Amino acid sequence: MTVRVAVAGASGYAGGELLRLLLTHPEVEIGALTAGGNAGSRLGQHHPNLLPLADRELTETTAEQLRGHDVVFLALPHGHSAAIAAELGDEVVVVDCGADHRLNDAEDWTRWYGGDHPGTWPYGVPELPGARERLRGTKRVAVAGCFPTVSSLAVVPALAAGLVEPEVVVTAVTGTSGAGRALKPHLLSAEVMGSASVYGVGGAHRHTPEMIQNLSAAAGEKVKVSFTPVLAPMARGILATCSAPLRGDVDTAAARKVYLDAYGDEPFVHVLPEGTWPQTSSTLGANTVHLQVTVDPDAGRLVVVGAEDNLTKGTAGGAVQCMNLALGLPETTGLPTAGIAP
């Protein structure tokens, strides 16, 4: 089968990563490439690495430009996807890489993003309990946020198995590409290089309610999440350290068994051998999450460390994985598991 695909927001980081993956997808033909302020320019001005598409002109992001495709990826700023999606027919698979359709609770949406809740779509992390079944054959996909992807995959098995109390602490180091391509003074190289800094501290980051939603569903009760993101001097990647108080007598071997049972058959989630810890460099460009789990007996806490590429598994790779499920293709089609190193 040949799947005709459009990418809205093609000049941004997420749009560029989508196109990098789609170029090697054996079932895809790339159609319209659209942008906002960059409409009228060549794609190569923004993504010179995408040589096969470098001479393609970016058009305005309108429903008219996106109609007539089998799949439309919306790599747009938060709050911009819902209006476009509403103009596309039910026959089109729409994959929203923004936050518009991730949250179940309308009050959470209004609190964290403002305005009316645009509705909830099937959630785009196939490895979470029940998610894969909801994604198969769907026409609408809400791609997960990059932090919730790795953090949820790191903690859900422990909560689902009752290993830990519903009180989770997440500290996640990330590269600057997670903030998008718009110019921001605090992301200039002179500000970032040689420095690490926190942001969104004290429950202020918009991905917090998404984590709570995912973890609470796994636990069967409300989970408290304390999330601190850390900006590091690197372009891409997330390293998340997640911990929670143990519930009962659990050792590292028992915890590892839970994780190996949960992810043993997953092609993109890998529990590393004992003594090997995740590092962001191992996941760059790959649609993978690397995990390691241990018990801190003195603190009485489970500690899980996860690494991913925020642009690949954390956004574009997860989006293509969900497209494959929605179309009935093998889930792994066109998705790399080997990272780029050194």
Side-chain angles (χ1 to χ4, degrees):
M1 67 187 291
T2 299
V3 180
R4 187 164 168 78
V5 170
V7 175
S11 62
Y13 288 141
E17 185 73 353
L18 275 166
L19 291 170
R20 182 181 74 85
L21 296 172
L22 293 171
L23 276 168
T24 60
H25 195 294
E27 308 295 342
V28 161
E29 174 189 326
I30 297 173
L33 306 179
T34 79
N38 291 318
S41 62
R42 293 169 51 254
L43 183 73
Q45 294 175 237
H46 312 283
H47 302 297
N49 59 309
L50 301 178
L51 193 60
L53 300 171
D55 290 331
R56 293 279 297 275
E57 181 178 336
L58 300 174
T59 59
E60 292 282 351
T61 299
T62 64
E64 287 73 22
Q65 291 291 337
L66 299 173
R67 289 193 186 104
H69 295 82
D70 301 304
V71 180
V72 173
F73 289 97
L74 300 176
L76 303 174
H78 303 319
H80 289 69
S81 297
I84 290 287
E87 296 187 60
L88 299 175
D90 293 339
E91 74 282 359
V92 182
V93 175
V94 182
V95 183
D96 182 10
C97 296
D100 290 25
H101 302 94
R102 295 172 186 165
L103 297 180
N104 295 329
D105 190 282
E107 291 184 5
D108 279 348
W109 171 265
T110 300
R111 173 188 171 190
W112 292 92
Y113 294 96
D116 295 331
H117 184 224
T120 305
W121 291 357
Y123 190 71
V125 182
E127 297 87 357
L128 293 180
R132 186 170 277 116
E133 290 70 28
R134 290 187 288 271
L135 289 164
R136 285 196 178 100
T138 186
K139 296 296 186 182
R140 297 292 185 268
V141 175
V143 177
C146 53
F147 286 120
T149 297
V150 63
S151 301
S152 299
L153 291 171
V155 183
V156 157
L159 287 167
L163 298 185
V164 296
E165 300 290 345
E167 300 172 9
V168 176
V169 175
V170 177
T171 302
V173 179
T174 186
T176 56
S177 62
R181 200 163 197 170
L183 294 177
K184 303 177 181 71
H186 73 285
L187 298 180
L188 294 172
S189 62
E191 304 291 335
V192 174
M193 297 305 294
S195 178
S197 59
V198 297
Y199 65 102
V201 184
H205 196 284
R206 285 175 167 179
H207 284 179
T208 303
E210 196 177 337
M211 292 183 194
I212 293 171
Q213 175 177 290
N214 296 345
L215 300 183
S216 298
E221 60 182 313
K222 186 66 176 287
V223 176
K224 294 180 180 178
V225 175
S226 176
F227 172 45
T228 303
V230 180
L231 185 66
M234 57 186 187
R236 53 202 287 171
I238 293 176
L239 187 73
T241 301
C242 312
S243 71
L246 292 169
R247 179 179 276 173
D249 187 16
V250 181
D251 61 14
T252 296
R256 281 185 57 82
K257 184 179 186 306
V258 166
Y259 278 74
L260 290 168
D261 289 346
Y263 295 130
D265 295 327
E266 289 293 344
F268 299 122
V269 182
H270 302 275
V271 181
L272 300 179
E274 276 192 274
T276 303
W277 289 93
Q279 51 188 4
T280 58
S281 61
S282 299
T283 63
L284 294 185
N287 192 54
T288 56
V289 170
H290 289 186
L291 297 175
Q292 184 57 277
V293 57
T294 192
V295 166
D296 181 341
D298 293 327
R301 298 184 74 86
L302 182 78
V303 180
V304 188
V305 178
E308 71 172 9
D309 186 327
N310 57 295
L311 290 178
T312 314
K313 179 59 172 166
T315 307
V320 173
Q321 186 180 346
C322 292
M323 176 196 75
N324 288 338
L325 284 167
L327 295 174
L329 296 170
E331 188 174 335
T332 58
T333 305
L335 290 170
T337 56
I340 301 168

